[in-house]
Amino acid sequence: MSAERIYRLLLRAYPPDFRAEYGREMMLLFRDQCRESDVRTVGFWAAVIGDVARSAPALRAAAWRARVSESTRTMEVTMKLAAILTLLVGVFGILNAVIEWSAGGNGTTEHALALVLGVGASALLLAAGVVILRPTERGRQGARLALFASLVLIVAARLLHPWMSIFAQLVGIGLPVAFLIALYWPRRTSPSGARG
């Protein structure tokens, strides 16, 4: 096997993006080193392997940190959009309950209690949207609690008085469940050990 083929195999230790950008220049430099030194000596290959062993892991780690950082930024944007959606659904739920209350007129006690529970569930969705915007573990815990309480209230309201449309049920029950899953979904840990 030729020295260049061995060196090409050693270059595989570097990240693909790095190889694409600098691989050609590294091969040219290696050819120059081969002309200046005896490639059959242990000292030559010890220096080449030592250089690869010293630089490739650091470049792999830097590429991995960049991917984790990009993934974390994507998750932050997603959670901000989810928080805004939660806020809007909370406001919509409160307005819907007020309209239902005014349209209901002299409803039963169960109807009134179901509307109060619906307003409470919507207010909890509002609270969850606010705390999701806080990118801390305490904020996530508060959001989980608010979403779970909202889910309990909306299910209780639905069982107490079946006044909800299918859409309202999907939003009132589906949205908290989806966000609870997203908030409990395991996150990758960054190299420093902080949760992403």
Side-chain angles (χ1 to χ4, degrees), residues 4-128:
E4 282 190 28
R5 290 185 69 186
I6 293 170
Y7 189 66
R8 282 186 200 282
L9 288 174
L10 288 174
L11 287 180
R12 293 251 180 226
Y14 291 97
D17 293 343
F18 182 84
R19 284 195 318 263
E21 190 169 343
Y22 299 108
R24 186 173 184 280
E25 288 85 3
M26 291 174 78
M27 280 305 300
L28 292 173
L29 180 63
F30 180 76
R31 285 181 189 145
D32 291 343
Q33 288 175 339
C34 287
R35 275 188 239 120
E36 295 171 6
S37 302
D38 186 9
V39 296
R40 295 175 292 189
T41 64
V42 172
F44 174 81
W45 285 107
V48 169
I49 292 170
D51 180 51
V52 171
R54 189 174 49 254
S55 59
L59 290 168
R60 284 271 182 189
W64 181 78
R65 280 191 303 270
R67 280 195 307 272
V68 167
S69 176
E70 183 177 315
S71 173
T72 301
R73 281 192 299 269
T74 302
M75 179 56 88
E76 288 172 3
V77 168
T78 303
M79 290 309 289
K80 285 180 182 175
L81 289 173
I84 291 168
L85 178 62
T86 306
L87 288 168
L88 290 173
V89 169
V91 169
F92 172 75
I94 291 171
L95 291 175
N96 187 40
V98 168
I99 291 168
E100 183 77 23
W101 180 268
S102 63
N106 295 331
T108 63
T109 305
E110 291 87 10
H111 183 252
L113 185 56
L115 286 174
V116 169
L117 289 174
V119 169
S122 296
L124 285 167
L125 281 177
L126 275 171

Side-chain angles (χ1 to χ4, degrees), residues 133-153:
L133 288 172
R134 297 178 61 203
T136 63
E137 187 57 33
R138 193 170 199 183
R140 282 191 196 99
Q141 288 173 351
R144 288 177 189 134
L145 183 61
L147 287 166
F148 184 73
S150 171
L151 183 61
V152 168
L153 287 180

Side-chain angles (χ1 to χ4, degrees), residues 79 132 137 139-141 143-144 147 178-187 195:
M79 290 309 289
I132 288 173
E137 187 57 33
R140 282 191 196 99
Q141 288 173 351
R144 288 177 189 134
L147 287 166
F179 288 143
L180 282 169
I181 290 169
L183 288 170
Y184 277 107
W185 198 265
R187 295 190 183 5
R195 303 244 336 155

